[in-house]
Amino acid sequence: MSVNAGQPSPVDPAAAPDPRQAHDRLREIAGDPVVAAVDATAGPPDQSGWVHAVIPIESLTPAHGELLRLGAEVEVLSPAALRDRLADTATALAALYQRAHPGPPSSR
């Protein structure tokens, strides 16, 4: 799978991306083979601060769950099926959190 890591913070889009933060979070959630693959394939940050790397995945479902944990710090470039699944989840989450919150349930 091909990924970019190190997107600027969505809270402060002007902030410089920090690919080390995404790498550190990946180290927390992924196994040694994934971290080793990132270390072996990561290039230097591009003009936007993204670092391109290739990581192994066994199947879409576990990769989806693990990469969701990185939030906007990672962008999946391929495979398209995983990218689409992450985009669908992000869209659903955005819709959920953009709704007006009904407030706490009333106690009766």
Side-chain angles (χ1 to χ4, degrees):
M1 164 181 51
S2 181
V3 298
N4 276 333
Q7 180 187 15
S9 165
V11 175
D12 182 5
D18 185 358
R20 294 171 307 209
Q21 183 177 358
H23 187 271
D24 290 347
R25 296 226 332 115
L26 183 66
R27 190 176 296 282
E28 292 172 10
I29 66 168
D32 292 337
V34 172
V35 174
V38 168
D39 291 342
T41 63
D46 66 16
Q47 307 140 300
S48 301
W50 285 101
V51 172
H52 182 86
V54 177
I55 62 174
I57 61 170
E58 291 183 24
S59 67
L60 295 182
T61 300
H64 175 259
E66 286 184 7
L67 292 169
L68 269 178
R69 294 172 64 188
L70 291 171
E73 294 174 28
V74 67
E75 175 187 19
V76 172
L77 303 176
S78 66
L82 180 56
R83 182 179 173 89
D84 292 346
R85 188 182 290 188
L86 286 165
D88 291 346
T89 301
T91 299
L93 284 169
L96 175 68
Y97 285 99
Q98 289 175 354
R99 289 193 326 233
H101 188 283
S106 60
S107 55
R108 295 181 193 190

